[in-house]
Amino acid sequence: MLDTTSIRKHFPIYEQHPDLVYLDSGASSLKVKTVIDKMDEYYTKYGVNVHRGVYNLSHQASEEYEEARDVVANFINAKAKEIVFTKGTTSALNLVAASYGLENVESGDEIIVSELEHHSNLLPWQRVARIKGAKLRYIPLDTEGRITVEGFLSVLSPKTKVVAITYVSNVMGYITPIKEIIKIAHERNIVVVVDAAQAIQHLKVDVKDLDCDFLAFSGHKMCGPTGVGVLYGKYELLEKMPPLELGGDMNDDVQLYDATYKVAPYKFEAGTPPIAEVIGLKEAIYYLEKLGFDNIQNHVKELADYAIGKMKAIDGVTVYNPTAETGIIAFNIDGVHPHDAATNFDENQICLRAGHHCAQLVTKWLRCVGTLRATIYIYNNKHDIDTFIETLINTRDFFKQF
Ligand code: 7TS
Protein backbone atom coordinates (compact mmCIF):
# COMPACT_ATOMS: atom_id res chain seq x y z
CA MET A 1 0.00 0.00 0.00
CA LEU A 2 1.13 3.55 -0.65
CA ASP A 3 1.72 5.79 2.34
CA THR A 4 -1.42 7.88 2.00
CA THR A 5 -0.59 10.01 5.06
CA SER A 6 2.37 11.47 3.15
CA ILE A 7 0.57 11.44 -0.20
CA ARG A 8 -2.31 13.52 1.18
CA LYS A 9 0.18 16.20 2.20
CA HIS A 10 0.92 16.63 -1.52
CA PHE A 11 -2.74 17.39 -2.27
CA PRO A 12 -3.68 20.82 -0.82
CA ILE A 13 -7.41 20.15 -1.13
CA TYR A 14 -7.17 17.96 1.98
CA GLU A 15 -6.07 21.03 3.99
CA GLN A 16 -9.40 22.67 3.09
CA HIS A 17 -11.47 19.50 3.51
CA PRO A 18 -9.70 17.17 5.97
CA ASP A 19 -12.66 14.76 6.09
CA LEU A 20 -13.14 14.56 2.35
CA VAL A 21 -13.73 11.06 0.98
CA TYR A 22 -12.99 11.60 -2.66
CA LEU A 23 -14.10 8.63 -4.73
CA ASP A 24 -14.60 10.40 -8.06
CA SER A 25 -11.11 10.40 -9.55
CA GLY A 26 -12.53 8.83 -12.72
CA ALA A 27 -14.22 12.17 -13.38
CA SER A 28 -11.15 14.17 -12.38
CA SER A 29 -8.32 13.40 -10.00
CA LEU A 30 -7.29 15.73 -7.21
CA LYS A 31 -4.48 18.11 -8.12
CA VAL A 32 -0.98 17.71 -6.77
CA LYS A 33 0.84 20.68 -5.20
CA THR A 34 3.88 20.52 -7.49
CA VAL A 35 1.54 21.01 -10.47
CA ILE A 36 -0.17 23.98 -8.83
CA ASP A 37 3.21 25.47 -7.87
CA LYS A 38 4.58 25.01 -11.38
CA MET A 39 1.59 26.76 -12.93
CA ASP A 40 1.95 29.52 -10.36
CA GLU A 41 5.64 29.81 -11.28
CA TYR A 42 4.72 30.27 -14.93
CA TYR A 43 2.13 32.95 -14.15
CA THR A 44 4.32 34.84 -11.69
CA LYS A 45 7.78 34.48 -13.27
CA TYR A 46 7.50 34.15 -17.05
CA GLY A 47 3.76 34.28 -17.85
CA VAL A 48 4.00 35.38 -21.49
CA ASN A 49 3.22 33.79 -24.83
CA VAL A 50 5.23 30.99 -26.45
CA HIS A 51 6.87 30.60 -29.87
CA ARG A 52 6.47 34.32 -30.65
CA GLY A 53 8.53 36.70 -28.57
CA VAL A 54 12.11 37.49 -29.42
CA TYR A 55 12.74 38.42 -25.81
CA ASN A 56 14.12 36.33 -23.02
CA LEU A 57 10.91 35.75 -21.06
CA SER A 58 9.18 34.33 -24.09
CA HIS A 59 12.14 32.04 -24.75
CA GLN A 60 11.87 30.79 -21.19
CA ALA A 61 8.13 30.08 -21.53
CA SER A 62 8.74 28.38 -24.90
CA GLU A 63 11.53 26.25 -23.47
CA GLU A 64 9.33 25.07 -20.58
CA TYR A 65 6.48 24.38 -23.00
CA GLU A 66 8.61 22.36 -25.42
CA GLU A 67 10.32 20.56 -22.56
CA ALA A 68 6.84 19.38 -21.53
CA ARG A 69 6.48 17.84 -24.99
CA ASP A 70 9.71 15.89 -24.40
CA VAL A 71 8.53 14.79 -20.95
CA VAL A 72 5.17 13.57 -22.31
CA ALA A 73 6.95 11.81 -25.18
CA ASN A 74 9.33 9.99 -22.80
CA PHE A 75 6.43 9.12 -20.52
CA ILE A 76 4.62 7.16 -23.24
CA ASN A 77 7.75 6.18 -25.24
CA ALA A 78 6.96 8.38 -28.25
CA LYS A 79 8.93 11.02 -30.13
CA ALA A 80 8.34 14.68 -29.22
CA LYS A 81 7.08 15.44 -32.73
CA GLU A 82 4.32 12.83 -32.23
CA ILE A 83 2.82 14.73 -29.27
CA VAL A 84 0.02 17.22 -30.00
CA PHE A 85 -1.23 19.28 -27.08
CA THR A 86 -5.02 19.61 -27.03
CA LYS A 87 -7.45 20.76 -24.40
CA GLY A 88 -8.29 17.21 -23.36
CA THR A 89 -9.14 13.72 -24.50
CA THR A 90 -12.36 14.93 -26.08
CA SER A 91 -10.65 17.41 -28.38
CA ALA A 92 -7.87 14.91 -29.16
CA LEU A 93 -10.38 12.25 -30.27
CA ASN A 94 -12.43 14.82 -32.19
CA LEU A 95 -9.27 15.87 -33.99
CA VAL A 96 -8.51 12.31 -35.08
CA ALA A 97 -12.06 11.67 -36.26
CA ALA A 98 -12.60 14.98 -38.06
CA SER A 99 -9.13 15.08 -39.61
CA TYR A 100 -7.89 11.51 -40.13
CA GLY A 101 -11.40 10.04 -40.19
CA LEU A 102 -13.03 12.39 -42.67
CA GLU A 103 -9.96 12.22 -44.96
CA ASN A 104 -9.62 8.45 -45.00
CA VAL A 105 -12.95 6.78 -44.33
CA GLU A 106 -14.99 6.20 -47.47
CA SER A 107 -18.50 5.14 -48.34
CA GLY A 108 -19.06 1.48 -47.46
CA ASP A 109 -16.16 1.36 -44.99
CA GLU A 110 -16.67 0.13 -41.45
CA ILE A 111 -15.52 1.67 -38.18
CA ILE A 112 -15.29 -0.66 -35.18
CA VAL A 113 -16.29 0.78 -31.80
CA SER A 114 -17.84 -0.69 -28.66
CA GLU A 115 -20.73 -0.07 -26.31
CA LEU A 116 -18.17 0.68 -23.60
CA GLU A 117 -17.12 3.92 -25.29
CA HIS A 118 -17.31 7.27 -23.58
CA HIS A 119 -19.30 9.64 -25.80
CA SER A 120 -16.03 11.37 -26.73
CA ASN A 121 -14.92 8.28 -28.61
CA LEU A 122 -18.31 7.51 -30.09
CA LEU A 123 -20.10 10.65 -31.25
CA PRO A 124 -17.18 11.86 -33.42
CA TRP A 125 -17.16 8.46 -35.19
CA GLN A 126 -20.94 8.46 -35.58
CA ARG A 127 -20.50 11.78 -37.37
CA VAL A 128 -17.75 10.45 -39.63
CA ALA A 129 -19.94 7.45 -40.50
CA ARG A 130 -22.93 9.70 -41.24
CA ILE A 131 -20.99 12.11 -43.44
CA LYS A 132 -19.02 9.47 -45.33
CA GLY A 133 -21.72 6.81 -45.66
CA ALA A 134 -19.70 4.38 -43.55
CA LYS A 135 -21.03 1.97 -40.95
CA LEU A 136 -20.30 1.62 -37.23
CA ARG A 137 -19.81 -1.96 -36.08
CA TYR A 138 -20.06 -2.71 -32.35
CA ILE A 139 -17.82 -5.31 -30.74
CA PRO A 140 -20.24 -7.65 -28.93
CA LEU A 141 -19.38 -7.52 -25.23
CA ASP A 142 -19.00 -10.76 -23.30
CA THR A 143 -21.35 -11.70 -20.47
CA GLU A 144 -19.43 -9.52 -17.98
CA GLY A 145 -19.50 -6.58 -20.40
CA ARG A 146 -15.90 -6.85 -21.61
CA ILE A 147 -14.31 -6.23 -24.99
CA THR A 148 -12.60 -9.48 -25.97
CA VAL A 149 -10.38 -10.46 -28.89
CA GLU A 150 -13.04 -13.00 -29.95
CA GLY A 151 -15.70 -10.29 -29.91
CA PHE A 152 -13.44 -8.05 -31.96
CA LEU A 153 -12.76 -10.81 -34.51
CA SER A 154 -16.49 -11.34 -34.94
CA VAL A 155 -16.99 -7.81 -36.33
CA LEU A 156 -13.71 -7.48 -38.19
CA SER A 157 -14.27 -7.48 -41.94
CA PRO A 158 -12.47 -6.60 -45.17
CA LYS A 159 -14.37 -3.30 -44.97
CA THR A 160 -12.94 -2.28 -41.58
CA LYS A 161 -11.00 0.98 -41.89
CA VAL A 162 -10.66 2.20 -38.32
CA VAL A 163 -10.92 0.69 -34.85
CA ALA A 164 -11.67 3.27 -32.12
CA ILE A 165 -11.84 1.76 -28.64
CA THR A 166 -11.24 2.51 -25.03
CA TYR A 167 -8.22 1.11 -23.19
CA VAL A 168 -10.04 1.18 -19.83
CA SER A 169 -13.82 1.59 -19.55
CA ASN A 170 -14.84 4.57 -17.44
CA VAL A 171 -17.86 2.69 -16.06
CA MET A 172 -16.71 -0.92 -15.75
CA GLY A 173 -12.96 -0.32 -15.31
CA TYR A 174 -12.11 -3.28 -17.55
CA ILE A 175 -8.77 -3.28 -19.33
CA THR A 176 -9.20 -3.93 -23.05
CA PRO A 177 -6.79 -6.46 -24.62
CA ILE A 178 -5.65 -3.60 -26.78
CA LYS A 179 -2.25 -4.94 -27.81
CA GLU A 180 -3.68 -8.12 -29.33
CA ILE A 181 -6.43 -6.16 -31.09
CA ILE A 182 -3.89 -3.72 -32.55
CA LYS A 183 -1.71 -6.59 -33.80
CA ILE A 184 -4.66 -8.20 -35.59
CA ALA A 185 -5.83 -4.85 -37.00
CA HIS A 186 -2.36 -4.04 -38.34
CA GLU A 187 -2.13 -7.35 -40.20
CA ARG A 188 -4.99 -5.86 -42.25
CA ASN A 189 -3.66 -2.27 -42.40
CA ILE A 190 -6.43 -1.00 -40.13
CA VAL A 191 -5.73 2.10 -38.05
CA VAL A 192 -6.37 1.84 -34.28
CA VAL A 193 -7.35 4.81 -32.12
CA VAL A 194 -7.03 4.27 -28.37
CA ASP A 195 -8.93 6.29 -25.78
CA ALA A 196 -6.54 6.16 -22.82
CA ALA A 197 -8.36 8.70 -20.62
CA GLN A 198 -8.88 6.10 -17.86
CA ALA A 199 -5.68 4.15 -18.51
CA ILE A 200 -2.95 6.75 -18.33
CA GLN A 201 -3.26 7.26 -14.55
CA HIS A 202 -3.20 3.54 -13.76
CA LEU A 203 -1.09 1.68 -16.30
CA LYS A 204 2.37 2.24 -17.74
CA VAL A 205 1.44 3.18 -21.30
CA ASP A 206 4.06 2.50 -23.98
CA VAL A 207 2.83 3.48 -27.43
CA LYS A 208 5.69 1.70 -29.19
CA ASP A 209 4.97 -1.53 -27.39
CA LEU A 210 1.22 -1.21 -28.02
CA ASP A 211 1.93 -0.04 -31.57
CA CYS A 212 -1.29 2.03 -31.55
CA ASP A 213 -1.72 4.62 -34.29
CA PHE A 214 -3.37 7.25 -32.12
CA LEU A 215 -3.79 7.53 -28.36
CA ALA A 216 -5.53 10.26 -26.37
CA PHE A 217 -5.55 11.27 -22.70
CA SER A 218 -6.25 14.22 -20.37
CA GLY A 219 -4.05 15.92 -17.78
CA HIS A 220 -6.79 16.36 -15.19
CA LYS A 221 -7.31 12.65 -14.58
CA MET A 222 -3.62 12.15 -13.71
CA CYS A 223 -3.26 14.77 -10.94
CA GLY A 224 -2.49 17.42 -13.55
CA PRO A 225 -4.29 20.53 -14.77
CA THR A 226 -7.65 20.79 -16.47
CA GLY A 227 -7.63 22.24 -19.98
CA VAL A 228 -4.76 20.16 -21.34
CA GLY A 229 -4.71 16.81 -23.06
CA VAL A 230 -2.53 14.89 -25.43
CA LEU A 231 -2.99 13.35 -28.81
CA TYR A 232 -0.23 10.90 -29.67
CA GLY A 233 -0.14 10.00 -33.35
CA LYS A 234 2.39 8.07 -35.44
CA TYR A 235 4.27 10.77 -37.26
CA GLU A 236 3.62 9.40 -40.75
CA LEU A 237 -0.11 9.73 -40.04
CA LEU A 238 0.03 13.16 -38.35
CA GLU A 239 2.15 14.41 -41.24
CA LYS A 240 -0.62 13.72 -43.78
CA MET A 241 -3.54 14.97 -41.68
CA PRO A 242 -5.06 18.40 -42.29
CA PRO A 243 -5.28 20.75 -39.32
CA LEU A 244 -8.79 21.60 -38.13
CA GLU A 245 -8.15 24.94 -36.50
CA LEU A 246 -6.41 27.54 -38.62
CA GLY A 247 -4.88 30.72 -37.27
CA GLY A 248 -1.88 32.08 -35.46
CA ASP A 249 1.29 30.12 -34.92
CA MET A 250 0.30 27.10 -37.02
CA ASN A 251 0.99 28.81 -40.34
CA ASP A 252 4.16 29.12 -42.36
CA ASP A 253 3.90 31.49 -45.33
CA VAL A 254 0.66 33.45 -45.72
CA GLN A 255 -0.35 34.80 -49.12
CA LEU A 256 -3.49 36.71 -50.12
CA TYR A 257 -5.55 33.66 -51.01
CA ASP A 258 -3.74 30.78 -49.43
CA ALA A 259 -1.21 29.84 -46.82
CA THR A 260 1.18 27.05 -45.99
CA TYR A 261 1.21 25.41 -42.60
CA LYS A 262 3.87 24.30 -40.20
CA VAL A 263 4.67 20.62 -39.83
CA ALA A 264 3.07 18.38 -37.19
CA PRO A 265 2.62 18.73 -34.28
CA TYR A 266 2.64 22.56 -34.58
CA LYS A 267 0.07 22.69 -37.37
CA PHE A 268 -2.45 21.25 -34.89
CA GLU A 269 -1.78 23.85 -32.19
CA ALA A 270 -3.32 27.03 -33.59
CA GLY A 271 -3.60 30.08 -31.37
CA THR A 272 -2.25 30.60 -27.89
CA PRO A 273 -2.11 27.15 -26.32
CA PRO A 274 -2.89 26.30 -22.67
CA ILE A 275 0.67 27.22 -21.67
CA ALA A 276 0.44 27.01 -17.88
CA GLU A 277 -1.45 23.74 -18.17
CA VAL A 278 1.06 22.14 -20.53
CA ILE A 279 3.92 23.18 -18.24
CA GLY A 280 1.98 21.92 -15.19
CA LEU A 281 1.35 18.56 -16.85
CA LYS A 282 5.08 17.90 -16.76
CA GLU A 283 5.01 17.92 -12.95
CA ALA A 284 2.06 15.52 -12.85
CA ILE A 285 4.07 13.07 -14.91
CA TYR A 286 7.12 13.43 -12.64
CA TYR A 287 4.89 12.82 -9.64
CA LEU A 288 3.25 9.65 -10.95
CA GLU A 289 6.54 8.29 -12.25
CA LYS A 290 8.12 8.83 -8.85
CA LEU A 291 5.31 6.89 -7.16
CA GLY A 292 5.72 4.14 -9.77
CA PHE A 293 2.93 2.55 -11.76
CA ASP A 294 3.33 -0.87 -10.13
CA ASN A 295 2.85 0.74 -6.72
CA ILE A 296 -0.13 2.76 -7.98
CA GLN A 297 -1.78 -0.33 -9.45
CA ASN A 298 -1.18 -2.45 -6.34
CA HIS A 299 -2.54 0.25 -4.05
CA VAL A 300 -5.68 0.79 -6.11
CA LYS A 301 -6.28 -2.94 -6.54
CA GLU A 302 -5.85 -3.69 -2.84
CA LEU A 303 -8.35 -0.99 -1.84
CA ALA A 304 -10.78 -2.01 -4.58
CA ASP A 305 -10.67 -5.65 -3.43
CA TYR A 306 -11.18 -4.51 0.16
CA ALA A 307 -14.24 -2.48 -0.89
CA ILE A 308 -15.69 -5.20 -3.10
CA GLY A 309 -15.25 -7.79 -0.34
CA LYS A 310 -17.38 -5.66 1.95
CA MET A 311 -19.93 -4.70 -0.71
CA LYS A 312 -20.60 -8.33 -1.62
CA ALA A 313 -21.73 -8.95 1.93
CA ILE A 314 -24.35 -6.17 1.82
CA ASP A 315 -27.87 -7.21 0.86
CA GLY A 316 -29.68 -4.96 -1.58
CA VAL A 317 -26.55 -3.74 -3.35
CA THR A 318 -25.69 -4.78 -6.91
CA VAL A 319 -22.08 -4.51 -8.06
CA TYR A 320 -21.82 -4.64 -11.85
CA ASN A 321 -18.07 -5.25 -12.11
CA PRO A 322 -16.89 -7.27 -9.10
CA THR A 323 -13.30 -7.46 -10.39
CA ALA A 324 -12.97 -3.65 -10.14
CA GLU A 325 -9.54 -4.01 -11.72
CA THR A 326 -8.68 -0.34 -12.14
CA GLY A 327 -10.35 0.85 -8.95
CA ILE A 328 -13.65 1.62 -10.67
CA ILE A 329 -16.72 0.18 -8.93
CA ALA A 330 -20.08 0.48 -10.68
CA PHE A 331 -23.00 -0.37 -8.45
CA ASN A 332 -26.56 0.41 -7.40
CA ILE A 333 -28.64 0.21 -4.29
CA ASP A 334 -31.62 -1.86 -5.37
CA GLY A 335 -34.73 0.25 -5.86
CA VAL A 336 -32.93 3.57 -5.26
CA HIS A 337 -32.24 6.05 -8.04
CA PRO A 338 -28.46 6.62 -8.24
CA HIS A 339 -28.90 10.41 -7.99
CA ASP A 340 -30.90 10.07 -4.76
CA ALA A 341 -28.26 7.80 -3.29
CA ALA A 342 -25.39 10.10 -4.35
CA THR A 343 -27.04 13.01 -2.55
CA ASN A 344 -26.99 10.99 0.63
CA PHE A 345 -23.30 10.20 0.13
CA ASP A 346 -22.58 13.89 -0.43
CA GLU A 347 -24.13 14.75 2.92
CA ASN A 348 -21.38 12.62 4.43
CA GLN A 349 -18.64 14.36 2.40
CA ILE A 350 -18.31 11.36 0.09
CA CYS A 351 -17.94 12.32 -3.57
CA LEU A 352 -19.22 9.68 -5.98
CA ARG A 353 -20.51 9.95 -9.49
CA ALA A 354 -24.06 8.96 -10.38
CA GLY A 355 -25.78 8.61 -13.71
CA HIS A 356 -24.61 7.37 -17.09
CA HIS A 357 -21.06 8.78 -16.87
CA CYS A 358 -21.15 10.11 -20.45
CA ALA A 359 -21.32 6.52 -21.63
CA GLN A 360 -25.03 5.95 -22.11
CA LEU A 361 -24.59 2.76 -24.11
CA VAL A 362 -23.04 1.07 -21.06
CA THR A 363 -26.05 1.95 -18.94
CA LYS A 364 -28.32 0.60 -21.68
CA TRP A 365 -26.24 -2.57 -21.87
CA LEU A 366 -26.59 -2.96 -18.09
CA ARG A 367 -30.34 -2.32 -18.43
CA CYS A 368 -30.52 0.24 -15.64
CA VAL A 369 -31.29 3.97 -15.41
CA GLY A 370 -27.74 4.74 -14.37
CA THR A 371 -25.21 3.60 -11.82
CA LEU A 372 -23.35 4.90 -8.84
CA ARG A 373 -19.62 4.87 -9.44
CA ALA A 374 -16.82 4.93 -6.90
CA THR A 375 -13.33 5.39 -8.32
CA ILE A 376 -10.28 4.80 -6.17
CA TYR A 377 -6.90 6.45 -6.58
CA ILE A 378 -3.55 7.01 -4.87
CA TYR A 379 -4.75 9.24 -2.02
CA ASN A 380 -7.58 6.96 -0.91
CA ASN A 381 -7.10 4.75 2.11
CA LYS A 382 -8.94 2.07 4.07
CA HIS A 383 -10.61 4.70 6.21
CA ASP A 384 -12.19 6.16 3.04
CA ILE A 385 -13.51 2.74 2.12
CA ASP A 386 -14.84 2.09 5.63
CA THR A 387 -16.66 5.46 5.62
CA PHE A 388 -18.02 4.69 2.17
CA ILE A 389 -19.29 1.24 3.25
CA GLU A 390 -20.89 2.59 6.39
CA THR A 391 -22.69 5.29 4.39
CA LEU A 392 -23.73 2.73 1.78
CA ILE A 393 -25.45 0.65 4.45
CA ASN A 394 -27.06 3.74 6.01
CA THR A 395 -28.24 4.95 2.60
CA ARG A 396 -29.79 1.58 1.82
CA ASP A 397 -31.54 1.55 5.19
CA PHE A 398 -32.70 5.14 4.85
CA PHE A 399 -34.41 4.49 1.50
CA LYS A 400 -35.89 1.21 2.73
CA GLN A 401 -38.39 3.25 4.78
CA PHE A 402 -40.14 4.62 1.67
N1 7TS B 1 -12.79 8.94 -22.54
C1 7TS B 1 -12.96 8.33 -21.35
C2 7TS B 1 -12.79 6.86 -21.25
C3 7TS B 1 -13.30 9.10 -20.24
O1 7TS B 1 -13.47 8.50 -19.07
C4 7TS B 1 -13.45 10.50 -20.38
C5 7TS B 1 -13.89 11.37 -19.23
C6 7TS B 1 -13.22 11.07 -21.63
C7 7TS B 1 -12.91 10.26 -22.69
C8 7TS B 1 -13.29 12.55 -21.85
O2 7TS B 1 -12.25 13.19 -21.18
P1 7TS B 1 -12.21 14.79 -21.09
O3 7TS B 1 -11.02 15.06 -20.22
O4 7TS B 1 -12.05 15.31 -22.46
O5 7TS B 1 -13.49 15.19 -20.45
N2 7TS B 1 -14.66 10.67 -18.29
C9 7TS B 1 -15.39 11.18 -17.29
C10 7TS B 1 -16.04 10.35 -16.37
O6 7TS B 1 -15.97 9.12 -16.38
N3 7TS B 1 -16.70 11.11 -15.51
O7 7TS B 1 -16.51 12.40 -15.83
C11 7TS B 1 -15.70 12.45 -16.95
Side-chain angles (χ1 to χ4, degrees):
M1 293 280 286
L2 292 169
D3 174 7
T4 50
T5 309
S6 332
I7 288 184
R8 283 178 181 225
K9 293 193 182 121
H10 307 149
F11 290 82
I13 199 164
Y14 284 112
E15 287 164 28
Q16 306 296 319
H17 309 279
D19 298 324
L20 176 70
V21 177
Y22 190 71
L23 292 172
D24 198 20
S25 299
S28 197
S29 66
L30 300 179
K31 313 298 179 259
V32 69
K33 185 160 188 326
T34 47
V35 168
I36 301 166
D37 289 347
K38 189 72 188 174
M39 292 172 74
D40 192 53
E41 176 195 286
Y42 162 74
Y43 282 121
T44 51
K45 298 197 175 150
Y46 48 91
V48 301
N49 219 325
V50 290
H51 302 151
R52 292 160 171 81
V54 286
Y55 46 89
N56 206 28
L57 277 184
S58 179
H59 287 316
Q60 196 179 346
S62 304
E63 264 172 33
E64 289 277 354
Y65 183 89
E66 287 306 323
E67 190 186 287
R69 205 187 299 277
D70 292 335
V71 171
V72 171
N74 281 334
F75 178 54
I76 60 168
N77 196 19
K79 298 186 192 106
K81 63 182 185 176
E82 296 173 318
I83 302 300
V84 180
F85 287 119
T86 66
K87 71 182 166 70
T89 306
T90 303
S91 43
L93 293 169
N94 270 274
L95 172 57
V96 181
S99 176
Y100 182 85
L102 285 180
E103 286 290 309
N104 292 282
V105 173
E106 286 157 19
S107 173
D109 284 347
E110 292 178 354
I111 302 165
I112 294 183
V113 291
S114 84
E115 283 157 278
L116 287 187
E117 299 317 310
H118 186 279
H119 299 159
S120 299
N121 197 34
L122 185 66
L123 276 52
W125 296 108
Q126 287 181 344
R127 181 169 170 267
V128 171
R130 204 164 49 235
I131 293 172
K132 304 302 285 197
K135 189 176 165 197
L136 289 189
R137 301 280 314 263
Y138 283 85
I139 299 173
L141 304 178
D142 77 359
T143 50
E144 287 185 328
R146 290 173 189 274
I147 297 175
T148 61
V149 174
E150 298 68 43
F152 168 67
L153 286 171
S154 75
V155 287
L156 188 64
S157 93
K159 296 179 188 161
T160 311
K161 199 60 163 279
V162 173
V163 178
I165 44 175
T166 192
Y167 196 164
V168 170
S169 156
N170 71 318
V171 181
M172 305 296 267
Y174 297 144
I175 303 172
T176 305
I178 203 88
K179 195 170 163 182
E180 293 92 317
I181 288 176
I182 291 168
K183 189 165 177 286
I184 297 164
H186 283 175
E187 282 160 8
R188 294 160 173 82
N189 289 326
I190 298 163
V191 161
V192 183
V193 183
V194 179
D195 175 355
Q198 297 289 349
I200 200 75
Q201 64 279 50
H202 291 285
L203 311 173
K204 183 78 197 114
V205 171
D206 179 330
V207 292
K208 288 284 172 298
D209 180 51
L210 291 177
D211 199 27
C212 51
D213 299 290
F214 296 102
L215 181 132
F217 60 92
S218 300
H220 70 96
K221 293 192 202 282
M222 48 187 291
C223 306
T226 57
V228 61
V230 170
L231 173 65
Y232 157 80
K234 281 188 179 160
Y235 198 72
E236 61 268 28
L237 297 175
L238 290 178
E239 223 177 355
K240 294 192 199 112
M241 281 161 52
L244 294 186
E245 286 196 323
L246 311 180
D249 212 33
M250 56 72 69
N251 59 280
D252 235 337
D253 183 42
V254 177
Q255 304 283 344
L256 276 179
Y257 300 106
D258 209 353
T260 55
Y261 309 141
K262 282 185 180 159
V263 294
Y266 307 104
K267 69 177 171 184
F268 299 112
E269 294 177 10
T272 300
I275 304 170
E277 289 76 5
V278 165
I279 293 173
L281 178 61
K282 205 165 32 174
E283 295 298 324
I285 291 173
Y286 292 149
Y287 186 77
L288 294 184
E289 283 188 323
K290 205 165 159 199
L291 284 182
F293 278 90
D294 284 346
N295 295 332
I296 294 174
Q297 250 179 300
N298 290 339
H299 177 81
V300 168
K301 182 77 182 110
E302 199 170 318
L303 281 184
D305 287 346
Y306 179 66
I308 292 282
K310 291 188 174 251
M311 290 173 86
K312 276 186 180 161
I314 305 174
D315 279 343
V317 169
T318 304
V319 178
Y320 297 101
N321 59 339
T323 53
E325 49 218 48
T326 46
I328 298 180
I329 305 174
F331 66 102
N332 265 323
I333 302 173
D334 301 345
V336 182
H337 193 284
H339 283 153
D340 293 337
T343 310
N344 221 47
F345 279 98
D346 182 42
E347 278 169 13
N348 291 284
Q349 294 206 61
I350 301 173
C351 306
L352 296 181
R353 198 168 164 197
H356 52 63
H357 319 294
C358 303
Q360 286 185 19
L361 297 185
V362 188
T363 308
K364 288 181 180 152
W365 188 88
L366 289 171
R367 296 179 196 282
C368 56
V369 289
T371 66
L372 287 159
R373 185 189 65 177
T375 46
I376 296 166
Y377 203 40
I378 50 177
Y379 26 70
N380 293 122
N381 55 25
K382 284 202 166 152
H383 178 69
D384 286 347
I385 304 299
D386 290 339
T387 312
F388 161 67
I389 295 291
E390 196 184 317
T391 310
L392 177 59
I393 294 168
N394 292 343
T395 307
R396 179 204 59 182
D397 292 346
F398 174 76
F399 282 101
K400 253 191 202 163
Q401 309 167 60
F402 304 106

